[in-house]
Structures are given as structure tokens and as C-alpha cells.
Amino acid sequence: MNRNKQSISFLHPFSFGFYRKYGWETYVEFKRYKVPTAHLPSKKATPGTIRRGDPGLSTLKEVYSVYAERYNGTLVRDDARWENSVLVNGTSQRAVYYDEADVAQGYLLYEVKENKFTIKEIIYLNEEARQGLWTFIANHDSMIQEVTLQAPASDTLAFQLDNPRIQQEIVPYFMARIVSVEQFISQYPFASQDSPVQIVLQVEDTHAPWNEGVWQLNVAMNGTASIWKTSEPITDDQTIKVDIQALTAVLMGYRRPTEMARIGRIYGPEAAIKALEQAIPERETYLLDFF
């Protein structure tokens, strides 16, 4: 992968422990719901409309693309991905929410079978679309006993229910691994800064020796960064020590540097860790696909 100039790798592990030995780390989890019909969100009138049937691939792609850009680690889907993987088993029924201007703002890929409303994807771009889609789901209450779906780990569905005592499960999902620290950092969109930031990273990566060593990271005010290995003497009070797994987790946005320092996954002076924290944008990770 390094020879092919791939800066990061993703995989679905048969064993998290096995792949951690080789530098991969968890980067995303999702929330799985099972909602009894009696607990469904209250039906609410919205100004838009729901249309069932095949909306056309372009409509789904447009809504998904806007939604996916909110997260780190989502997949850029080409037409082949949509046709051969997304729009297959369990997606025979489709519904799109359109606002008053007739612009698609959300969609459902689902199936109703054996008294279950199984949602493969529920995507909405605003609260109106969320309410419209859930009202559409609740309108099936006479023919179903429960609804199952998955959502981002931060999803607040239960809080928005009159009775939040529903089944919720947090599922660790995919793993990621930075293949090339130098290449990944050069592509990474850091947060804008009031002044340039300089951070020294001592990276441990026993299976990718090109990543091992002490790196000087410079983040410009506009969020662009450069990084290079340094042979200059560096003292412990200047250096953040991190293995490739922890570095991947924090740069993906799955965990924050101060949190990782608190649990002993990265080490370094408080000021340096705070600087790294401020340089990394706060963005949730999510992945709807499997591969």
C-alpha cells in the first residue's frame, strides 16, 4: 500500500485484537436500534411530501453525498457501488422526502416483512426531513411490530421518543490504519489556527519502519500542514509519544487527544497535547457501507 501511495487503509476485522497487532485501530462504531411499534416517534405534519418507488439513482446520490460529507470515514460511492452493493437485498422499497421547493432532503431504503420494518438506510439532511421520514414509518404501525435500523453513534433518537426505553446497542465496526504518516498528514485538513502550530511527534510503528521516528509537524494558519523527520535532539518536554494505532484514532476523529492522554494511549506535555487537540477538527466518524 505504501508503494501504491495509499495513505490510509480500512478493513472490517474478523478480530480486532489480531489487526491491532499490525497497526490497525477501531475508527468507527454505530448505534443499532430495535424500536417496538408502541415506542415510535409521534406523527408530525411537515410541509414536504414523501414519494415512494424508484426515485432514480441521481436523487439518492445527491442526498447521500451531502450527508456523507458531515462525517469522517464515509465511502465515496460510484454508480457501481450503488447498483451492486447498496441497492440490493433489503432495499426493494424506497421513499424520498421532498421539501416545499420539491428538493430531496432525505430518503429511506427499507423492507416490510414478517411484521418488521427493516431500515437499511435512513438519511436526512435536516430536522424536517427526519420528522417526515419517521412519520412515514409510523404510518405503518398497523402492519408492523417493530422497526430496526442503524445510525451514527451520537444519534439521539431515544431522547426524542416519548418513551426512550428501547433496545440500543453500540457496535464497534471498521478499523483504519495510517499507511504513510508523511502522505496522510500532507493531505489532512487541520483546523484553521490564529497562529502557526509546531508539534513534535515520536511515532511507534513496528510494521511500517518508514513511519517510525521523530517527526516535526507544522500546521499553518489555514489548516494545511507539512511534516518531516528530524534528527535534531528533542527533549521529552517537547514531544508527544504515540503509536500508529492511537495516531490513526485521533486523526480520524474517533477519539480526541486529551481523552487518549487521559487513558494512557498517548504521552506528552499538556501544552503539546492541547495544541494537537485544537488542531484536529471535531468531526464524528461514520460508515454505512460494508466491504
Side-chain angles (χ1 to χ4, degrees), residues 188 190-191 193 250-253 256-257 275-282:
Y188 191 86
F190 285 92
Q193 307 289 315
V250 298
L251 289 178
M252 285 301 300
R256 301 298 293 171
L276 184 61
E277 176 101 10
Q278 292 174 342
I280 297 175
E282 291 194 45

Side-chain angles (χ1 to χ4, degrees), residues 129-188:
R130 188 194 74 83
Q131 292 180 358
L133 291 171
W134 272 107
T135 296
F136 172 78
I137 296 166
N139 284 336
H140 291 74
D141 56 1
S142 64
M143 64 179 72
I144 61 173
Q145 295 179 351
E146 66 180 26
V147 176
T148 59
L149 68 147
Q150 75 172 56
S154 65
D155 187 75
T156 58
L157 173 64
F159 178 74
Q160 294 170 293
L161 300 179
D162 292 337
N163 187 344
R165 287 182 171 170
I166 61 173
Q167 182 175 316
Q168 304 179 62
E169 180 186 8
I170 297 295
V171 181
Y173 191 33
F174 261 60
M175 303 184 81
R177 187 202 205 286
I178 293 174
V179 174
S180 167
V181 169
E182 184 176 18
Q183 184 180 349
F184 187 76
I185 292 293
S186 70
Q187 299 170 326
Y188 191 86

Side-chain angles (χ1 to χ4, degrees), residues 17-29:
F18 176 85
Y19 282 105
R20 276 180 170 144
K21 292 186 297 183
Y22 299 103
W24 276 263
E25 184 54 273
T26 311
Y27 95 87
V28 66
E29 58 196 16

Side-chain angles (χ1 to χ4, degrees), residues 12-155:
H12 183 266
F14 76 92
S15 164
F16 283 82
F18 176 85
Y19 282 105
R20 276 180 170 144
K21 292 186 297 183
Y22 299 103
W24 276 263
E25 184 54 273
T26 311
Y27 95 87
V28 66
E29 58 196 16
F30 63 82
K31 189 175 289 187
R32 180 181 289 151
Y33 291 113
K34 183 180 291 186
V35 187
T37 305
H39 294 237
L40 288 174
S42 301
K43 301 175 185 179
K44 295 183 180 180
T46 56
T49 58
I50 291 276
R51 296 179 198 161
R52 298 175 60 182
D54 189 352
L57 184 55
S58 61
T59 298
L60 299 179
K61 287 173 63 177
E62 288 173 8
V63 176
Y64 170 81
S65 294
V66 175
Y67 181 82
E69 287 178 359
R70 298 175 178 176
Y71 302 96
N72 287 345
T74 46
L75 190 66
V76 177
R77 294 173 172 173
D78 58 16
D79 287 358
R81 182 73 190 177
W82 278 98
E83 294 165 358
N84 300 324
S85 181
V86 180
L87 300 177
V88 289
N89 297 335
T91 63
S92 60
Q93 300 185 65
R94 301 157 195 176
V96 178
Y97 182 86
Y98 294 87
D99 63 18
E100 287 184 290
D102 204 34
V103 177
Q105 299 290 350
Y107 69 77
L108 277 173
L109 305 179
Y110 68 100
E111 194 165 73
V112 179
K113 189 176 181 180
E114 298 177 350
N115 298 320
K116 294 182 180 181
F117 195 112
T118 303
I119 299 173
K120 182 171 182 180
E121 288 190 4
I122 177 169
I123 303 292
Y124 45 84
L125 304 184
N126 51 47
E127 179 61 16
E128 177 189 318
R130 188 194 74 83
Q131 292 180 358
L133 291 171
W134 272 107
T135 296
F136 172 78
I137 296 166
N139 284 336
H140 291 74
D141 56 1
S142 64
M143 64 179 72
I144 61 173
Q145 295 179 351
E146 66 180 26
V147 176
T148 59
L149 68 147
Q150 75 172 56
S154 65
D155 187 75

